Amino acid sequence: MAHFAKIENNKVMEVAVVENAVIRDVNGDEQESLGQEFLRSIHNEPDAVWLQCSYNHNIKNIFPCAGYDYDPSKDEFYPVKPFPSWVWNKEYKSWLSPIGQPTDETKTTWNESSGEWE
């Protein structure tokens, strides 16, 4: 199965599943454009932006959900950034605080103003 995310204003609106046969050309090669055309047609939205994504994170960074962000300059999906100071960690594919995770198990809430865990 192939997955596609519908994008509006760099936000993921929904994710759709398409049979692999739909996105294969006459040579059997997968073509993102075939899935895009198919989804525009069945939803009767000729100008909709559908981008192929991957459930196993092989395409465009991570598998998106509705509400995720799309960065067109990097051609990647991201979950919504929880706080302005947090940074993307490519290894963990998640947003992390600028000081890392708390070592004190009682501190579980991030305070953006102080830049500390409380």
Side-chain angles (χ1 to χ4, degrees), residues 31-91:
Q31 302 292 332
E32 181 179 32
S33 61
L34 295 173
Q36 293 167 331
E37 292 170 19
F38 174 78
L39 288 163
R40 288 179 188 133
S41 174
I42 66 167
H43 289 281
N44 195 27
E45 296 177 315
D47 298 322
V49 176
W50 289 93
L51 300 175
Q52 191 170 6
C53 50
S54 171
Y55 192 73
N56 56 12
H57 311 282
N58 290 335
I59 302 172
K60 295 179 179 54
N61 190 36
I62 61 170
F63 185 75
C65 296
Y68 276 32
D69 293 317
Y70 173 70
D71 182 340
S73 67
K74 295 181 180 178
D75 192 27
E76 293 181 341
F77 296 108
Y78 297 91
V80 175
K81 189 174 186 176
F83 298 98
S85 67
W86 286 34
V87 294
W88 183 255
N89 182 292
K90 286 187 177 212
E91 181 182 351

Side-chain angles (χ1 to χ4, degrees), residues 17-38:
V17 179
V18 175
E19 290 285 339
N20 284 341
V22 169
I23 65 169
R24 288 204 171 99
D25 64 16
V26 294
N27 298 319
D29 297 322
E30 291 188 359
Q31 302 292 332
E32 181 179 32
S33 61
L34 295 173
Q36 293 167 331
E37 292 170 19
F38 174 78

